[in-house]
Amino acid sequence: MATAKHYRLALLMCDTPFPSIKAEYGDYRQIFETLLTSSLAPINASQTSGFLTFPCAGQGPVTFTLDGYDVVTEMAYPPDETEYDGLLLSGSAASAYENVEWINKLVAYVKRISEEKPQMKIFGICFGHQIIARALGGSCVPNNGLWEVAVINVQLSALGKAIFGTDDLDIQQMHRDHVPTAPPNSHLLGSTTITPNQGMVIFNPSSIPASQTLQSPSPNVDLQSIHILTLQGHPEFTPPIMEKLLDARIHILGEEITNDARKRAGGIPGKQRPDGRACGGVGTVGKAIWGVLGVA
């Protein structure tokens, strides 16, 4: 009989969604749970149909639990990290370079976990991407007042193309801070003209690919060898969530930026993605996250 694999994941919630978003889509734990559930469904369906081989022969459909920890107001963290297969850091309206207690504690926590728990996969989204950069020796600073909002096209590196299985990535964005200096031993996933570092990976020290592999125009990389994966964009934001976010932040963004972003909230006009989606959340990034966790 096939046995099911169950993953336990921890989400460090670095903010609370606006009331209009939370009322319809829940807090960040629920929003990320939706992303992970939606991206896992076709993988499980393919396995059931016999088109996909899971890591262990005879393994049944994959399931998961996502536990949320409020690291802002409660400064709560997993009491036992050994219980978890993966750690996710959410986005936030805060800036990762702020010298405040909860952010300093978060930076120190990520640094410790990355050093002491190489078997735990770590994923950072937007603010999470920036916190990981800081924790591991990179930097985060304001991006000269430049915003990236709604769906933006990211040009992927050769490694990024290999990891996401696509030549470029359209993904929701909401930021004006960036990571100009990446941590040592990290590898760039992609960039835009405004934000050179749109994501990065760090490999597990025991399974770093050979330099000739990483330098190849088409690197063949085992996703399970990745220890840390980060993205500046928001794969968890759907077009309706982005619309509500624009409504809530128009007083910060201004009418010009907001109106321009509304044109791309559902995708880049006139551009149809190969997988039929407006942006690379469920179909591309979610699949890669599960691949890093070992579901592929």
Side-chain angles (χ1 to χ4, degrees):
M1 176 182 291
T3 58
K5 169 68 175 179
H6 185 81
Y7 287 84
R8 288 203 64 188
L9 308 172
L11 173 67
L12 303 186
M13 299 185 294
C14 305
D15 205 349
T16 300
F18 284 104
S20 61
I21 296 174
K22 188 175 181 179
E24 189 165 349
Y25 301 101
D27 60 15
Y28 279 121
R29 193 204 67 78
Q30 293 167 293
I31 290 172
F32 273 92
E33 185 175 68
T34 298
L35 167 68
L36 294 169
T37 299
S38 300
S39 55
L40 183 60
I43 298 175
N44 277 335
S46 297
Q47 189 267 351
T48 303
S49 302
F51 295 119
L52 189 100
T53 301
F54 277 90
C56 299
Q59 180 174 301
V62 170
T63 58
F64 74 95
T65 301
L66 180 65
D67 297 330
Y69 294 90
D70 178 354
V71 299
V72 183
T73 58
E74 298 178 6
M75 287 196 278
Y77 289 84
D80 182 3
E81 294 89 3
T82 61
E83 295 181 357
Y84 292 102
D85 301 289
L87 182 73
L88 294 86
L89 281 74
S90 80
S92 176
S95 292
Y97 47 78
E98 291 182 61
N99 183 22
V100 296
E101 183 181 7
W102 75 266
I103 290 179
N104 292 337
K105 182 176 180 178
L106 179 60
V107 169
Y109 179 84
V110 170
K111 177 177 172 57
R112 179 179 69 81
I113 292 299
S114 68
E115 294 173 348
E116 298 179 2
K117 310 290 181 182
Q119 76 284 357
M120 178 186 283
K121 307 296 187 177
I122 303 175
F123 305 93
I125 302 301
C126 194
F127 174 83
H129 157 75
Q130 298 162 359
I131 286 290
I132 290 171
R134 271 197 62 193
L136 303 185
S139 64
C140 175
V141 299
N143 196 2
N144 299 314
L146 298 175
W147 283 95
E148 282 188 310
V149 185
V151 178
I152 300 291
N153 178 256
V154 175
Q155 294 298 304
L156 296 175
S157 64
L159 181 60
K161 293 176 183 180
I163 289 172
F164 295 117
T166 184
D167 289 337
D168 61 349
L169 185 66
D170 290 348
I171 189 168
Q172 301 279 8
Q173 309 260 359
M174 179 60 74
H175 68 99
R176 60 177 172 181
D177 296 335
H178 75 132
V179 174
T181 307
N185 303 315
S186 63
H187 302 271
L188 184 70
L189 292 178
S191 62
T192 64
T193 54
I194 291 177
T195 307
N197 185 346
Q198 279 283 342
M200 56 194 179
V201 294
I202 295 176
F203 292 96
N204 190 302
S206 65
S207 54
I208 299 175
S211 58
Q212 58 264 35
T213 298
L214 293 174
Q215 294 168 8
S216 167
S218 301
N220 183 13
V221 175
D222 179 3
L223 295 188
Q224 292 185 71
S225 66
I226 294 172
H227 180 204
I228 298 169
L229 185 150
T230 73
L231 283 171
Q232 181 60 72
H234 286 274
E236 80 282 14
F237 283 177
T238 61
I241 289 178
M242 178 53 65
E243 290 283 4
K244 290 183 181 297
L245 191 55
L246 292 173
D247 290 340
R249 303 200 78 183
I250 187 172
H251 64 290
I252 297 174
L253 298 170
E255 289 191 7
E256 183 178 353
I257 292 176
T258 302
N259 291 337
D260 177 65
R262 290 194 195 280
K263 300 174 185 175
R264 290 173 284 99
I268 296 175
K271 184 177 183 182
Q272 181 68 30
R273 299 300 302 170
D275 62 0
R277 299 183 183 276
C279 50
V282 173
T284 305
V285 175
K287 181 181 178 181
I289 288 173
W290 283 114
V292 172
L293 285 165
V295 183

